[in-house]
Amino acid sequence: LKAKLDTTLLEAFQGNEQFANTVKESFESFINMRSNRPAELIAKFIDSKLRVNKGLAEEEMESMLESVLTLFRFIQGKDVFEAFYKKDLSKR
């Protein structure tokens, strides 16, 4: 979803800074509607991908982590992410 928004911003609005800020604020508001849930889901997603890393090439893993990092920048519950990630890490 974020990649589609970025593409639309560049193609339709020529990267207009004011519109870019509005899109960024809207996306941040959207992703944080469920308070701690996005942080939990991102932590679980990363954990699941790292557990089965054997099937992914290093380039694919790096690309996936970059996409997740983009989402991580928008969440407000970074401390919640850390707690879930530590819990999942201890199981690994």
Side-chain angles (χ1 to χ4, degrees):
L1 180 63
K2 177 70 172 114
K4 286 183 180 182
L5 287 173
D6 290 342
T7 302
T8 302
L9 177 66
L10 288 175
E11 291 177 1
F13 299 98
Q14 288 79 38
N16 182 305
E17 188 175 324
Q18 185 178 12
F19 193 76
N21 287 335
T22 302
V23 168
K24 179 182 174 259
E25 290 170 6
S26 299
F27 193 78
E28 184 175 349
S29 173
F30 162 74
I31 201 164
N32 288 300
M33 288 177 75
R34 300 215 31 219
S35 65
N36 297 331
R37 188 73 174 152
E40 177 185 356
L41 293 175
I42 290 173
K44 289 182 185 282
F45 178 77
I46 291 174
D47 183 62
S48 70
K49 292 298 181 183
L50 291 176
R51 283 179 192 251
V52 293
N53 185 20
K54 299 168 188 125
L56 292 176
E58 187 173 331
E59 293 172 0
E60 292 172 341
M61 179 62 81
E62 191 170 319
S63 173
M64 183 269 310
L65 288 174
E66 284 180 22
S67 298
V68 170
L69 186 59
T70 300
L71 290 177
F72 179 77
R73 290 183 185 124
F74 287 99
I75 63 172
Q76 293 173 348
K78 291 179 175 67
D79 54 337
V80 174
F81 168 83
E82 182 181 7
F84 277 103
Y85 188 76
K86 282 182 180 180
K87 184 184 84 169
D88 292 340
L89 180 63
S90 68
K91 293 179 184 176
R92 211 174 324 135

